[in-house]
Amino acid sequence: MSRMLSTVLAAASMLALAACSGKQAADAALSASPAAYAAPAPLSAPTDFGPPQGEPIHAVLTSPPNVPPPIHRNYPAKVIVELEVVEKEMSISEGVTYTYWTFGGTVPGSFIRVRQGDTVEFHLKNAPDSKMPHNIDLHGVTGPGGGAASSFTAPGHESQFTFKALNQGIYVYHCATAPVGMHIANGMYGLILVEPPEGLPKVDHEYYVMQGDFYTTGKYREKGHQPFDMDKAIDEKPTYVLFNGHEGSLTGDKALTAKVGESVRLFVGNGGPNLVSSFHVIGEIFDRVQQEGGLHPQENVQTTLIPAGGAAIVEFHTDVPGSYVLVDHSIFRAFNKGAMGILKVDGAENKAIYSGKEVDAVYLGDRAEPNLHAVSTAAKAGAAGTLSKEDQVAAGKQLFTGTCSVCHQANGEGLPGVFPPLAKSDYLAKQDKNHLISIPLHGLTGKVTVNGKEYDSVMPPMSQLTDDEVANLLTYVLNSWGNPGGQVSKDEVAKVRAQPAPAPTAEH
Ligand SMILES: [Cu+2]
């Protein structure tokens, strides 16, 4: 009998014992019955695969979501990894920029793939135009600091250290220079895969996905350049929670792809710095998960927990076409902080498994066909002082999808008896501007009469919207569907937001 099987049987008999004679017996079994346990195998040092053989090999590094090709090598080699730290401004969301610190110019950093037993000669460079020193701690390294102590690198310098990849698995690497949290929050993390000697089973697609939480002084999607907010980071209140460092990095034309009937392997990491991830793919069941990157897979998993500074290997196959949505199932992070990606599966329907109908509209809102270009155009015009009504209407139209349209419908007609129309609304036409602005900011409750029909319902406040989003949305609504026209500015919204919410009244 295998050791694993005997352990399972022993545990099962303990459970039976606990069931028939209650908690005391169970406690007794746990504490005093050594016979119930098969002793775990003694810990032994991992196999040393001997000295590196052959010519040194330069590791292929890839940018997310790509993964270097499998290693088809049956001996341990010396593998040279050259990674450069680059500090650079990139877009974190449409019209929002952030100064990232990166391993290799991307967030997450370059994917590194070696074979168990390889001797890795690691070269860490820090670009000459960097402002900060950096280093690297690889969780796949056995040794104090995981390399951090030997890799402190000032701008314009290079450091070198060597380690043997003793344990197979998928490991996080990250910067560990003080303030460590800030370096990680700025994007300094990535994954290194240490393949088993025999390689991983063949699959059709391998992808690299890594979650991270980001802290900006402005609100979610507040336009312009957003600096890092240390207080929010200490309080663990992220503005963004993202896959692969940027909102939209895995949606629209950047979605991951597969065909029906193919197998997919995701290397999913979590850089943190603070949050753990409840990683889930809407509409898929994971056939196999190597939880926490560990050796023994779990099967038929719906959601897998990925700790900050941890990773998992997630495998599944596709049965029916459509958009499968990658989320952190701590769901506000997906819908209000950006933690969303898409796997687009093409191929023939299989109605025996699923009846069809795309999930895009239901789940994705404005991320289904992310085209928020008009939104950033309006933001730029706003900053330059040239914002026109047309800019605002175009931006508001794009924002309307997935926010207001959920209830008032894309054509503004509402739903009879449930959501009042915004199209040709006589209620809307007679409101003063400040009250109109207060509707999205503070919500609306109590009886309202729109075009002769009474509604007595609740519109929830949508205070997550930024001032310019509210301004653009209302300008769009005012200038659409036969409404009277007009314009709402960001400053007017800011003033109303600063005032206390109006008390609900019976009729406005
Ligand atoms: Cu750093």
Side-chain angles (χ1 to χ4, degrees):
M1 183 163 44
S2 77
R3 184 180 298 283
M4 215 210 271
L5 185 57
S6 67
T7 311
V8 170
L9 289 180
S13 68
M14 265 170 48
L15 281 179
L17 191 65
C20 61
S21 41
K23 186 177 177 302
Q24 267 183 343
D27 287 348
L30 279 171
S31 59
S33 171
Y37 283 111
L43 286 175
S44 59
T47 326
D48 183 330
F49 291 77
Q53 300 169 31
E55 286 295 302
I57 292 166
H58 282 265
V60 177
L61 304 185
T62 57
S63 302
N66 299 313
V67 177
I71 296 167
H72 299 292
R73 182 160 35 82
N74 58 6
Y75 59 90
K78 176 171 169 179
V79 178
I80 297 165
V81 174
E82 296 197 43
L83 193 56
E84 185 181 32
V85 174
V86 183
E87 300 173 359
K88 66 182 201 189
E89 193 177 301
M90 292 186 276
S91 147
I92 189 166
S93 180
E94 182 70 49
V96 190
T97 55
Y98 187 78
T99 304
Y100 292 87
W101 299 346
T102 74
F103 286 109
T106 57
V107 178
S110 308
F111 195 106
I112 307 167
R113 185 169 197 154
V114 299
R115 181 181 180 272
Q116 188 179 12
D118 282 348
T119 295
V120 181
E121 184 183 292
F122 207 101
H123 297 252
L124 187 72
K125 295 175 188 168
N126 190 356
D129 61 353
S130 290
K131 299 201 170 48
M132 306 292 287
H134 301 284
N135 65 7
I136 193 166
D137 166 353
L138 298 119
H139 291 179
V141 168
T142 310
S150 345
S151 60
F152 182 86
T153 312
H157 287 70
E158 174 179 336
S159 50
Q160 181 187 332
F161 63 99
T162 301
F163 66 92
K164 192 168 239 186
L166 293 176
N167 301 73
Q168 59 173 277
I170 180 83
Y171 297 99
V172 168
Y173 67 78
H174 62 88
C175 182
T177 303
V180 177
M182 181 178 178
H183 283 250
I184 295 176
N186 284 343
M188 299 198 77
Y189 45 78
L191 292 181
I192 175 170
L193 172 67
V194 182
E195 266 195 22
E198 69 281 8
L200 294 171
K202 200 182 165 327
V203 288
D204 296 307
H205 299 277
E206 290 186 328
Y207 290 117
Y208 173 21
V209 176
M210 201 156 178
Q211 183 170 321
D213 26 300
F214 292 84
Y215 304 82
T216 63
T217 48
K219 279 169 89 97
Y220 174 62
R221 288 187 172 177
E222 189 154 319
K223 303 294 177 262
H225 185 76
Q226 292 294 334
F228 170 70
D229 189 322
M230 189 65 158
D231 289 331
K232 278 193 194 168
I234 293 169
D235 290 345
E236 305 189 12
K237 290 193 171 140
T239 328
Y240 293 85
V241 181
L242 300 170
F243 294 128
N244 291 2
H246 315 269
E247 185 163 37
S249 62
L250 295 174
T251 59
D253 56 5
K254 296 196 197 122
L256 305 177
T257 56
K259 292 196 186 68
V260 166
E262 287 187 324
S263 52
V264 179
R265 174 180 292 134
L266 303 177
F267 297 100
V268 190
N270 183 6
N274 288 319
L275 303 186
V276 302
S277 171
S278 301
F279 184 73
H280 178 79
V281 177
I282 299 173
E284 268 299 344
I285 297 156
F286 305 144
D287 298 332
R288 282 162 42 106
V289 177
Q290 280 175 249
Q291 285 170 328
E292 299 176 4
L295 209 53
H296 302 290
Q298 177 63 279
E299 294 180 3
N300 288 5
V301 174
Q302 56 191 309
T303 301
T304 192
L305 200 59
I306 306 180
I313 303 178
V314 167
E315 294 170 351
F316 54 93
H317 67 280
T318 59
D319 290 303
V320 281
S323 292
Y324 294 83
V325 191
L326 284 59
V327 294
D328 179 337
H329 215 296
S330 288
I331 212 73
F332 273 100
R333 299 175 189 170
F335 291 99
N336 301 79
K337 297 187 173 193
M340 197 179 261
I342 293 174
L343 171 72
K344 191 99 190 149
V345 177
D346 287 324
E349 298 278 0
N350 183 343
K351 302 268 166 159
I353 296 178
Y354 188 69
S355 65
K357 193 168 174 15
E358 284 274 321
V359 297
D360 288 18
V362 182
Y363 270 122
L364 302 175
D366 63 10
R367 293 161 188 88
E369 289 303 327
N371 178 16
L372 294 173
H373 204 67
V375 177
S376 54
T377 306
K380 281 193 202 109
T386 60
L387 184 67
S388 69
K389 192 159 92 178
E390 287 66 38
D391 290 335
Q392 286 194 276
V393 169
K397 183 173 183 177
Q398 284 176 356
L399 291 164
F400 195 81
T401 310
T403 50
C404 320
S405 74
V406 176
C407 300
H408 295 289
Q409 304 301 298
N411 58 9
E413 302 282 347
L415 284 180
V418 187
F419 302 118
L422 301 179
K424 284 204 190 74
S425 158
D426 61 355
Y427 175 90
L428 191 151
K430 66 176 190 241
Q431 297 308 310
D432 77 82
K433 209 191 251 185
N434 284 349
H435 183 247
L436 195 59
I437 294 169
S438 88
I439 294 176
L441 286 184
H442 302 304
L444 189 62
T445 55
K447 285 197 180 101
V448 293
T449 306
V450 185
N451 299 347
K453 295 214 176 67
E454 195 176 87
Y455 295 82
D456 188 3
S457 184
V458 177
M459 171 169 153
M462 308 193 67
S463 53
Q464 81 279 9
L465 298 169
T466 62
D467 293 343
D468 58 345
E469 284 172 333
V470 173
N472 294 343
L473 279 163
L474 289 175
T475 304
Y476 168 63
V477 169
L478 284 170
N479 291 281
S480 304
W481 315 302
N483 285 337
Q487 202 171 355
V488 175
S489 78
K490 180 180 169 171
D491 293 343
E492 288 168 328
V493 178
K495 276 200 200 105
V496 175
R497 196 192 290 273
Q499 291 158 12
T505 52
E507 183 78 49
H508 302 274

